[in-house]
Amino acid sequence: MPSFRFRDAYGTVAALAAALLLLAPAAAGAACLICDEVVELDGVRAKCFRQDYEKFLSTARSAETSNAEVDLSACACAGDDGRERRGLDRMPGLLPAGSESSARNQRELRSVYIFDEASLICLKRLLDGHEGTIDPSVRFDLVENCKP
């Protein structure tokens, strides 16, 4: 009967661990597991993204993980005219009887996203190519629209 030796098992585990460490950097660049895949913006946030695009892209390129946090919260506090909103302006209004509203338009939009470099470039391309107004009903699916 063959005897089990911890020394042999230790060598095998060490070899597997070394192989995983060698493959980890290649796997990390393959896909961003924490990046946002669907983006919903309004006109103000889209304008802010376009204005700060180079800063976001530079951050992603210089980061070790090639990811960047895109924080549009400063723009979200400004109205369409660029002036800061006050508390009462941000409260939802009452809709007249019979008017339709979707849940998407009633909920608060996200202001912080995490993107990798490829997603940033693709979102910029999608925003530049979008015709018409950008409102919360417009969804940018980065997985579907940014396939290589």
Side-chain angles (χ1 to χ4, degrees), residues 72-95:
L72 304 172
S73 59
C75 301
C77 293
D80 292 332
D81 57 1
R83 294 186 313 188
E84 187 174 338
R85 293 182 182 166
R86 294 173 299 179
L88 293 177
D89 294 337
R90 297 190 73 191
M91 293 181 69
L94 297 175
L95 299 171

Side-chain angles (χ1 to χ4, degrees), residues 15 24 26 31-32 34 44 49 51 66-67 69 71 75 78 80 83 85 90-91 108 110 113 117 127 133 144 148:
C32 176
I34 61 169
V44 174
F49 176 83
Q51 287 175 346
S66 296
N67 300 341
E69 179 181 89
D71 187 354
C75 301
D80 292 332
R83 294 186 313 188
R85 293 182 182 166
R90 297 190 73 191
M91 293 181 69
E108 191 73 24
R110 289 181 53 199
Y113 293 93
E117 183 180 347
L127 286 172
T133 60
E144 190 64 34

